[in-house]
């Protein structure tokens, strides 16, 4: 069964600290994996997209890693800011069309001052 | 460049009614997709339209339908509303250089329409 599992479900960290969010998937065949950030009351915003051959991709303070062998991805946030408080959603594509996108439930990150 | 615009932002309906949601994609984007987001199920794919044709459909009942106009604007309709249809409905558009490759492109989401069914 194609599934995407994210952990932890929620996380609280202090401003300036680093954190890592996890995404494990059983989707097959694998096309790409993307991380989205969703602020409260807003639509998701794409952070990174990674294909099978990419194992690291950065977007500012966000760095995503992908291990296609173990089917795991992580999103590392460096020097967190209050504006990083959001839900982070991992999405895995099993093909070239949107009908084969599999969504994780998200990790709710809260950054405290 | 204006982003994806969804209207209305909030809706309150009662069971049995129908509702129409609207989405204006980013200029030049021909792929428009719709999603339902609930706390219990997370994001779920509803359907995708490209050049006025439905290209993909998720696992939702026939009460959920949509269409796309020649200017790429899209509407989603839900008939005979049920309590479980209460959700945030998101629309996304994406550029597509080659037809059939929508899942390889970045999707740009609107802010969503929050539907409450009483």
């Amino acid at each position: 069964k194609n599934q995407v599992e994210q952990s932890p479900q929620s996380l609280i960290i202090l401003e300036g600290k680093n954190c890592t969010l996890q995404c494990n998937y059983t989707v097959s065949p694998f096309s790409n994996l993307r991380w989205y950030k969703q602020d409260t009351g807003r639509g998701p915003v794409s952070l990174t997209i990674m294909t099978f051959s990419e194992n690291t991709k950065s977007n500012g303070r966000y760095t995503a890693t992908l291990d296609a062998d173990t089917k795991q991805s992580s999103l590392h946030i460096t020097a967190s800011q209050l504006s990083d408080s959001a839900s982070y959603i991992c999405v895995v594509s099993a093909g070239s069309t949107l009908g084969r996108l599999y969504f994780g439930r998200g990790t709710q990150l809260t950054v405290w001052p | 460049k204006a982003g994806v615009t969804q209207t209305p932002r909030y809706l309150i309906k009662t069971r049995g009614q129908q509702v129409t949601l609207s989405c204006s994609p980013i200029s030049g984007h021909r792929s428009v997709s719709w999603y339902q987001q609930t706390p219990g199920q997370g994001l779920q794919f509803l359907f995708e339209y490209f050049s006025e044709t439905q290209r993909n459909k998720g696992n939702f009942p026939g009460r959920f339908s949509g269409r796309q106009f020649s200017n790429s604007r899209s509407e989603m309709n839900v008939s005979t509303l049920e309590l479980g249809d209460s959700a945030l409905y998101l629309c996304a558009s994406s550029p597509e250089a080659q037809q059939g490759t929508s899942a390889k492109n970045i999707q740009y989401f609107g802010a969503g329409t929050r539907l409450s069914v009483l």
Side-chain angles (χ1 to χ4, degrees):
Chain A
K1 185 180 177 182
N2 291 312
Q3 280 187 314
V4 178
E5 300 285 344
Q6 290 187 245
S7 62
Q9 190 172 356
S10 62
L11 180 63
I12 299 174
I13 62 173
L14 294 176
E15 187 178 15
K17 299 295 186 183
N18 303 334
C19 68
T20 300
L21 314 181
Q22 299 290 343
C23 173
N24 296 339
Y25 61 93
T26 58
V27 176
S28 181
F30 175 86
S31 177
N32 62 64
L33 183 147
R34 54 190 76 193
W35 284 92
Y36 286 93
K37 177 189 178 190
Q38 184 175 20
D39 293 317
T40 301
R42 309 291 296 272
V45 174
S46 180
L47 293 174
T48 64
I49 299 179
M50 288 187 291
T51 60
F52 185 88
S53 59
E54 298 172 300
N55 53 26
T56 301
K57 205 159 206 180
S58 293
N59 179 356
R61 294 180 296 101
Y62 301 99
T63 299
T65 64
L66 173 65
D67 186 334
D69 291 331
T70 61
K71 298 188 176 182
Q72 296 180 324
S73 176
S74 64
L75 180 68
H76 186 75
I77 304 174
T78 304
S80 61
Q81 301 176 357
L82 298 180
S83 60
D84 292 330
S85 295
S87 177
Y88 292 84
I89 302 170
C90 174
V91 184
V92 180
S93 171
S96 61
T97 65
L98 294 176
R100 300 203 66 198
L101 283 182
Y102 297 89
F103 298 89
R105 298 277 181 96
T107 291
Q108 183 64 47
L109 174 66
T110 303
V111 181
W112 283 3
Chain B
K1 214 174 199 182
V4 177
T5 304
Q6 290 188 246
T7 56
R9 288 295 311 277
Y10 303 93
L11 265 178
I12 299 176
K13 294 285 186 179
T14 56
R15 280 180 298 173
Q17 287 187 308
Q18 76 165 22
V19 66
T20 299
L21 313 181
S22 180
C23 172
S24 294
I26 292 173
S27 178
H29 290 190
R30 291 189 294 168
S31 169
V32 175
S33 50
W34 289 88
Y35 303 83
Q36 182 193 68
Q37 187 175 35
T38 60
Q41 297 294 324
L43 269 165
Q44 293 181 283
F45 172 76
L46 278 158
F47 30 65
E48 180 203 7
Y49 286 85
F50 183 88
S51 292
E52 302 179 66
T53 301
Q54 187 181 89
R55 190 159 65 177
N56 291 287
K57 190 176 190 302
N59 190 26
F60 277 81
R63 300 185 297 107
F64 292 82
S65 63
R67 59 177 175 168
Q68 186 180 35
F69 301 95
S70 58
N71 61 359
S72 292
R73 190 177 69 86
S74 177
E75 287 183 347
M76 190 191 93
N77 185 275
V78 187
S79 62
T80 318
L81 284 166
E82 301 177 359
L83 296 178
D85 296 334
S86 294
L88 178 66
Y89 290 89
L90 292 161
C91 165
S93 73
S94 64
E96 188 164 310
Q98 181 178 351
Q99 189 169 355
T101 61
S102 52
K104 299 181 180 180
N105 297 316
I106 293 176
Q107 292 176 280
Y108 298 85
F109 284 84
T113 294
R114 173 78 60 186
L115 172 64
S116 298
V117 182
L118 306 178

